Amino acid sequence: MTTADIFIGRQPVIDRNRDLVAYELLFRGSDSHDSAKFDCPDRATESVISNALLGFGIDELVGPYKAYVNFPESFFHAEVEPPFNPNFIVIEVLENIRPTEEVIAGLKRLKSLGFQIALDDFVFKKEYVPFLKLADIIKIEANRLSIDKIPLLFSKIKNLTKAKLLAEKVETREIYQACMNAGCDLFQGYFFAKPDVLKGKKISVAKFNLLELLKGVSDPNISLEELETIVERDVGLSHKLLKMARQYRTSDMPEFSNIREVLMFFGLKRVQAWSTMISMECAGEVVPEIFVMALTRATFMREVAIRECLPFENTFYLAGLFSLLDVIMNQPLEQALSQLPLQQRIVDGLLEERGDYGRLLNIAKSFEQSEAQQSRVNYGDVYLRAFKETLKILN
């Protein structure tokens, strides 16, 4: 087991009495308070969430307060329940996200789950009025406003929504006082505190156990006992799962002393969602597209096996899932497969493309390469459904 340094920025949000009410969590790649360079907003958000939930633990970062986190547009397109607690996370909508029908539907779904919605760096334009109807907090960049325009802008917004106004980037006493006088509810900025950067350790997970977990959470028939066996054999997995359970624990819940108690209390569906997130977070250097391809192959091969009435259809799922084991484990496929107790006919299908396993794997590969022959066209709908199902799981 190894560990690696992780960082996260944290800036306080205060109310009109200067009492702490929340923190905004910020991406940081080092222990510098202003080091926030990143190439991809989605990956920056992933880093903040995984470090907060699986590295530090959200309760250790913010205590009894809320955590504001920026989310990119892709987050609002997902149709699965987020693997974090609405009691802790306030979802910030970035300023470059447009109020499309899909985004609005996503925000409504999140609000129905109990999440608060904050509009980040809000700019008053008519096209963004649909956001105002859903927002609980509206964040205004105070340093961009002239002091004499603050009262009019705040009054205009308050006439359209009951959401709280949060003045961010408050850097001087004059700006703070102007926002106070204009009825602002919450404040954030260098005038009160610069972001502090917390440093922690991320515990690694053995790749073999990661693959076992990924296989387990993708199996709709897995039992709690089987999942417990997978998790408990790896310290890293156990640690991360307990971190996730901790952020959902309320004062009236018992303390958890082992993995079995977590599984029994929260149930298989919740733990599967957490485990999928852990699998993706632990994959590290493995690009997400590899998991998309592996899970799509697995689902496709199982569905075709069912359609063709082939025996032991779940073994076809396993074959598809492990067909990219060489890429994930960074070793030859023959060597990677030799570490698993697989039946020889599955190994032969993967290595030498023999039998039904090799045949169905070849069909899956042909769809990936857009080389499906006419005789295989009937399976196009199966492959498309498998791909869509995989995206739902990984989202």
Side-chain angles (χ1 to χ4, degrees):
M1 182 182 70
T2 60
T3 61
D5 291 336
I6 56 174
F7 305 92
I8 198 165
R10 185 184 68 174
Q11 188 174 33
V13 175
I14 65 172
D15 63 13
R16 292 178 63 86
N17 297 320
R18 291 207 179 189
D19 292 329
L20 177 66
V21 295
Y23 289 98
E24 179 169 8
L25 300 185
L26 307 163
F27 171 82
R28 290 294 182 267
S30 70
D31 55 4
S32 172
H33 77 272
D34 57 358
S35 176
K37 295 180 179 179
F38 52 84
D39 298 323
C40 176
D42 290 41
R43 293 297 170 87
T45 296
E46 290 171 7
S47 174
V48 170
I49 289 294
S50 65
N51 287 347
L53 300 186
L54 303 176
F56 295 93
I58 194 70
D59 54 335
E60 295 177 19
L61 279 175
V62 301
Y65 306 108
K66 294 271 191 177
Y68 287 60
V69 180
N70 284 324
F71 285 89
E73 183 173 349
S74 58
F75 176 74
F76 306 110
H77 295 175
E79 297 181 0
V80 295
E81 183 177 345
F84 37 82
N85 195 334
N87 293 330
F88 289 102
I89 303 293
V90 175
I91 294 171
E92 291 196 43
V93 182
L94 292 170
E95 66 276 10
N96 60 353
I97 296 177
R98 299 175 63 83
T100 63
E101 290 185 8
E102 193 170 12
V103 170
I104 293 298
L107 289 175
K108 289 180 178 179
R109 180 179 55 83
L110 290 167
K111 284 184 71 71
S112 72
L113 295 173
F115 287 97
Q116 286 189 309
I117 305 297
L119 306 182
D120 190 37
D121 300 344
F122 183 75
V123 176
F124 192 89
K125 293 182 180 179
K126 185 176 181 180
E127 64 178 304
Y128 292 111
V129 170
F131 278 156
L132 293 177
K133 297 178 180 179
L134 296 171
D136 300 286
I137 299 104
I138 298 172
K139 302 182 71 174
I140 306 291
E141 284 195 353
N143 65 336
R144 290 186 175 183
L145 304 174
S146 59
I147 290 179
D148 61 314
K149 292 184 178 179
I150 288 177
L152 179 61
L153 175 62
F154 284 21
S155 175
K156 191 174 183 179
I157 295 176
K158 279 182 171 290
N159 287 334
L160 293 173
T161 177
K162 295 181 180 179
K164 292 184 177 181
L165 294 186
L166 190 160
E168 60 179 337
K169 297 186 178 179
V170 177
E171 299 177 354
T172 67
R173 179 176 295 277
E174 290 75 19
I175 293 178
Y176 166 61
Q177 198 60 55
C179 292
M180 275 284 288
N181 295 340
C184 191
D185 304 287
L186 303 169
F187 305 87
Q188 178 185 355
Y190 282 14
F191 177 66
F192 310 102
K194 291 184 177 181
D196 58 331
V197 179
L198 304 181
K199 179 180 179 180
K201 293 288 185 180
K202 180 168 65 173
I203 299 176
S204 68
V205 174
K207 281 191 175 181
F208 176 83
N209 294 330
L210 170 59
L211 262 294
E212 283 291 294
L213 177 63
L214 191 61
K215 179 184 70 174
V217 300
S218 302
D219 182 359
N221 299 315
I222 194 170
S223 67
L224 290 176
E225 290 75 17
E226 291 170 315
L227 198 55
E228 177 190 18
T229 300
I230 295 171
V231 172
E232 285 193 332
R233 72 167 62 125
D234 192 295
V235 175
L237 288 179
S238 300
H239 174 265
K240 292 174 187 298
L241 190 61
L242 286 170
K243 286 280 189 181
M244 293 296 295
R246 186 174 178 180
Q247 66 120 353
Y248 271 86
R249 182 183 173 272
T250 59
S251 58
D252 59 341
M253 292 182 186
E255 291 281 359
F256 301 118
S257 58
N258 55 56
I259 295 298
R260 178 176 288 269
E261 290 178 355
V262 172
L263 297 175
M264 294 296 292
F265 194 88
F266 289 104
L268 183 59
K269 184 177 180 181
R270 173 75 68 181
V271 173
Q272 282 180 317
W274 295 347
S275 299
T276 301
M277 178 181 178
I278 292 171
S279 297
M280 296 302 98
E281 188 266 347
C282 292
E285 67 276 13
V286 181
V287 296
E289 287 76 11
I290 296 300
F291 286 101
V292 171
M293 188 178 295
L295 285 174
T296 300
R297 286 182 182 181
T299 304
F300 171 77
M301 290 177 65
R302 179 176 59 193
E303 292 305 309
V304 174
I306 293 172
R307 179 178 287 194
E308 295 186 357
C309 299
L310 299 176
F312 310 112
E313 63 268 11
N314 284 331
T315 62
F316 287 87
Y317 182 94
L318 203 62
L321 188 69
F322 287 159
S323 63
L324 288 166
L325 201 58
D326 52 338
V327 180
I328 296 171
M329 303 288 285
N330 193 28
Q331 58 185 226
L333 184 58
E334 184 175 7
Q335 180 182 348
L337 293 175
S338 68
Q339 304 170 37
L340 299 172
L342 293 175
Q343 294 177 346
Q344 191 59 44
R345 65 175 184 270
I346 298 177
V347 175
D348 291 342
L350 294 179
L351 295 180
E352 302 177 19
E353 299 182 350
R354 292 185 187 175
D356 288 325
Y357 296 98
R359 177 175 62 87
L360 297 193
L361 179 59
N362 265 331
I363 296 176
K365 289 180 179 179
S366 71
F367 281 113
E368 294 165 3
Q369 300 164 4
S370 300
E371 296 175 354
Q373 299 175 5
Q374 185 64 34
S375 61
R376 299 169 181 169
V377 169
N378 292 337
Y379 292 133
D381 60 327
V382 181
Y383 187 85
L384 182 59
R385 286 199 306 271
F387 179 68
K388 289 181 177 179
E389 183 177 331
T390 294
L391 293 184
K392 285 186 177 182
I393 292 173
L394 297 187
N395 279 335

